Amino acid sequence: MFDRRQILASLGTALGTAAMATAFPNALWAAPIKPDEASALLVIDVQNCFLPGGSLAVKDGEQVVPVINRIAKGFANVALTQDWHTSGHVSFASTHQGKKPFETVTLPYGKQVLWPDHCVQGTDGAGLSKDLSIPQAGLIIRKGFHKDVDSYSAFTEADGKTTTGLAAYLKARKVKRVFLAGLATDFCVGWSALDARKAGFETYVVEDACRGIDTQGSLAKAWADMAKAGVKRIQSADIAI
Ligand code: VGL
Ligand code: ZN
């Protein structure tokens, strides 16, 4: 029930950061991270298609919802994303003759994993989970709506150049730090985190507020790429709400 970090976090709240740093000098204790006005939570693709019963259900995907709802209480700035494909989208295996989901094809912008049809614009599957409870969220950004280009990232499409406008929006709102949560760790969360770094944001991925698809080693690769790019891997308990 109680993990060491949570006990230490409560003790830290009671004693203060300086006293804790003296008591636990060997980095056993990390000061909780307090979201401020310059922090934004990005809730990535918590959509019915990625949840149990959905066409591209992520294992245990529903478990992220209560965690996200809890941490969201600590954020004044929240943006949600929706994967928002056309029917016959280039990322769908059904669009490519003889191809099956999880196989790959080479497109003009590079290698593309092929998926079951998912998150088609306006369908129930593309809807956000009804269990998300983040009334203060100020922006819903949709991505992947160009038929011939995928967009795992909330910032830049898979062609590597077409922007969704998210970085400009966050910068206009004076956001410096982004925290990512949602589905899936190794695709839309991971690519968004890498692009957040490229756009100059301090970037945190909240591991227990995410779940991965993990196809062909994608989950380990995503964490390795994120570590290399300076993305900070944290747990929801590290965030002071
Ligand atoms: C995603 C695969 C295809 C995601 C979206 O949200 O991670 N993954 N489209
Ligand atoms: Zn997609």
Side-chain angles (χ1 to χ4, degrees):
M1 241 358 245
F2 298 102
D3 72 26
R4 190 193 69 201
R5 193 175 263 284
Q6 265 161 353
I7 293 167
L8 291 171
S10 324
L11 202 57
T13 307
L15 298 179
T17 305
M20 288 298 287
T22 310
F24 299 98
N26 298 323
L28 272 174
W29 180 73
I33 303 156
K34 178 83 188 152
D36 60 10
E37 280 300 310
S39 305
L41 177 65
L42 307 182
V43 179
I44 305 295
D45 297 4
V46 185
Q47 292 169 269
N48 297 322
C49 274
F50 300 122
L51 294 166
S55 58
L56 182 42
V58 179
K59 188 172 182 290
D60 299 329
E62 75 286 1
Q63 294 179 13
V64 305
V65 175
V67 183
I68 291 172
N69 287 343
R70 180 159 44 78
I71 61 177
K73 292 188 200 309
F75 288 84
N77 304 308
V78 182
L80 314 177
T81 69
Q82 282 180 295
D83 209 35
W84 200 251
H85 298 311
T86 60
S87 56
H89 192 259
V90 72
S91 73
F92 296 172
S94 64
T95 302
H96 304 264
Q97 215 165 33
K99 287 290 182 180
K100 290 200 269 313
F102 306 101
E103 293 180 353
T104 57
V105 284
T106 303
L107 297 178
Y109 56 79
K111 197 169 119 181
Q112 172 71 53
V113 181
L114 297 174
W115 306 104
D117 290 21
H118 65 280
C119 296
V120 173
Q121 299 168 7
T123 61
D124 289 344
L128 293 167
S129 165
K130 65 171 177 21
D131 298 321
L132 273 180
S133 176
I134 318 178
Q136 80 276 28
L139 179 73
I140 299 177
I141 195 147
R142 291 170 169 172
K143 62 185 178 61
F145 49 75
H146 291 126
K147 194 170 182 164
D148 295 322
V149 188
D150 204 359
S151 189
Y152 297 143
S153 167
F155 291 91
T156 308
E157 297 188 13
D159 62 4
K161 51 178 191 252
T162 307
T163 179
T164 65
L166 180 59
Y169 167 88
L170 293 170
K171 286 177 185 177
R173 306 274 321 280
K174 303 200 161 31
V175 169
K176 303 257 182 286
R177 268 175 293 289
V178 296
F179 294 72
L180 290 105
L183 304 170
T185 320
D186 38 351
F187 290 93
C188 291
V189 174
W191 287 51
S192 297
L194 295 176
D195 280 349
R197 290 293 301 136
K198 282 190 194 147
F201 297 101
E202 193 180 323
T203 306
Y204 299 83
V205 171
V206 189
E207 183 171 12
D208 58 325
C210 302
R211 290 293 184 280
I213 294 175
D214 203 8
T215 175
Q216 297 156 33
S218 55
L219 190 57
K221 181 179 184 321
W223 282 120
D225 291 346
M226 287 191 277
K228 207 166 129 193
V231 173
K232 294 175 179 144
R233 179 176 181 168
I234 63 167
Q235 308 301 316
S236 61
D238 299 331
I239 302 174
I241 308 299

